[in-house]
Amino acid sequence: MNDIFSITVGRELGSGGRVIAKLLAERFDCNFYDSEILALAAKKSGFSEKLFVDHDEHHSRLHNLIFSKVPIIGHANYYSEQISQGSLFQFQSEVIWHEAKEKRCVFVGRGADYILRKKENKVSVFVYADMDYKIEQVMKRRECTAEEARRFIVSGEKTRAKYYNYYTGQTWGAKESYDICINSCRLGLEATADYLAEFVEKRLKVRV
C-alpha cells in the first residue's frame, strides 16, 4: 500500500462537487487544490497569475497564442510578448504531477484526472446532479432567478467541457473518462462523500 495517493474530482455546476471534494480531502487528510493550482503554476513559470486565471477552465476562449505583456519573475524589465495556451496547461500539469508525487492530494477539475492518468494510486471521480437540483443550488449561491441559474449552468458546463475535451481528447462527464460517476442529489453531499470515501478505501486499499 502506498500512503501517497490522489483523488481527482470533475463536477457539473451546482452539483456540489467542490464541497464533496473538500469533504474527501478532510476525510483522508489530503491537500486540497482548486484555484490554488493557478497560483502554484504562476510561481513555477514566472508568469503573472492573472494570465492563468484569465485562461482557466472557467473561461471559454481557447487560443493557439495569447498575446499579453506579463512580467517575468526575477526579470523586472523583461516582458514576454507571447505564450501558448498549451504552455499554460503544461505548467499546470507539471504542478499537479509534482504535488501528486509528494503528498496526498485532492484535485478539483483542470483535467487532473487525465494529467494523472498514468499514476497508479489515483481515483478519478465525476459528480453530476439533476438539473432542477443544480438550478436550486445556483439560485441560492448567486441569488438569481431560475432562468438565470439555468443559463449560468448551461454556459459554464459548455466552457468546462470545451476546456477538458480540448486538452484531454476525452469527453467531459462521460463515464469512460472516470473511475466512478455519481449523482450527488440522490444521497446528498455528505452521504455522497461517505460513499466515495468507501470506494477510495477499497480501490486504493487505504484507510481513513
Side-chain angles (χ1 to χ4, degrees):
M1 180 186 74
N2 190 337
D3 192 51
I4 296 176
F5 61 87
S6 299
I7 303 170
T8 67
V9 181
R11 72 283 182 228
E12 290 184 345
L13 270 167
S15 67
R18 188 181 190 280
V19 174
I20 290 168
K22 190 73 172 177
L23 289 170
L24 288 171
E26 293 170 359
R27 196 75 54 88
F28 289 104
D29 192 25
C30 294
N31 289 269
F32 178 80
Y33 300 91
D34 186 2
S35 58
E36 293 84 356
I37 289 297
L38 306 180
L40 291 172
K43 183 177 180 180
K44 175 181 176 60
S45 66
F47 286 102
S48 164
E49 184 176 346
K50 183 178 185 300
L51 190 62
F52 287 89
V53 171
D54 287 346
H55 297 86
D56 187 29
E57 67 173 6
H58 300 293
H59 297 264
S60 60
R61 297 193 307 169
L62 289 173
H63 308 288
N64 289 327
L65 291 174
I66 303 157
F67 294 91
S68 176
K69 288 189 175 182
V70 289
I72 307 299
I73 293 175
H75 299 273
N77 297 318
Y78 179 78
Y79 288 79
S80 170
E81 295 291 344
Q82 91 182 17
I83 177 174
S84 70
Q85 179 78 24
S87 294
L88 294 179
F89 184 76
Q90 182 62 33
F91 285 129
Q92 290 184 57
S93 299
E94 290 172 3
V95 166
I96 288 170
W97 255 110
H98 178 268
E99 297 300 301
K101 286 192 300 182
E102 298 293 326
K103 60 199 78 169
R104 288 187 176 190
C105 300
V106 172
F107 298 99
V108 177
R110 293 172 181 84
D113 60 284
Y114 176 79
I115 293 165
L116 298 177
R117 64 193 182 281
K118 294 183 180 179
K119 180 174 170 53
E120 293 184 1
N121 295 295
K122 183 266 297 179
V123 167
S124 58
V125 174
F126 189 83
V127 180
Y128 64 98
D130 297 348
M131 179 58 84
D132 288 345
Y133 177 87
K134 294 190 294 183
I135 288 173
E136 182 181 348
Q137 300 310 307
V138 171
M139 285 174 65
K140 291 177 182 177
R141 190 171 73 229
R142 297 179 64 85
E143 298 182 346
C144 63
T145 67
E147 184 54 36
E148 288 171 336
R150 180 183 292 274
R151 288 199 300 267
F152 177 79
I153 291 167
V154 171
S155 175
E157 290 185 352
K158 182 178 179 181
T159 296
R160 285 184 180 176
K162 183 177 181 181
Y163 178 97
Y164 182 90
N165 297 350
Y166 180 83
Y167 286 114
T168 70
Q170 299 178 163
T171 302
W172 181 77
K175 63 183 184 298
E176 296 83 5
S177 300
Y178 311 92
D179 293 318
I180 182 170
C181 300
I182 190 165
N183 187 332
S184 60
C185 67
R186 295 293 183 263
L187 299 175
L189 302 188
E190 290 192 8
T192 298
D194 290 340
Y195 185 93
L196 290 172
E198 184 177 353
F199 180 86
V200 170
E201 288 181 17
K202 291 180 177 179
R203 178 76 174 82
L204 300 181
K205 297 180 173 59
V206 296
R207 302 296 297 176
V208 175

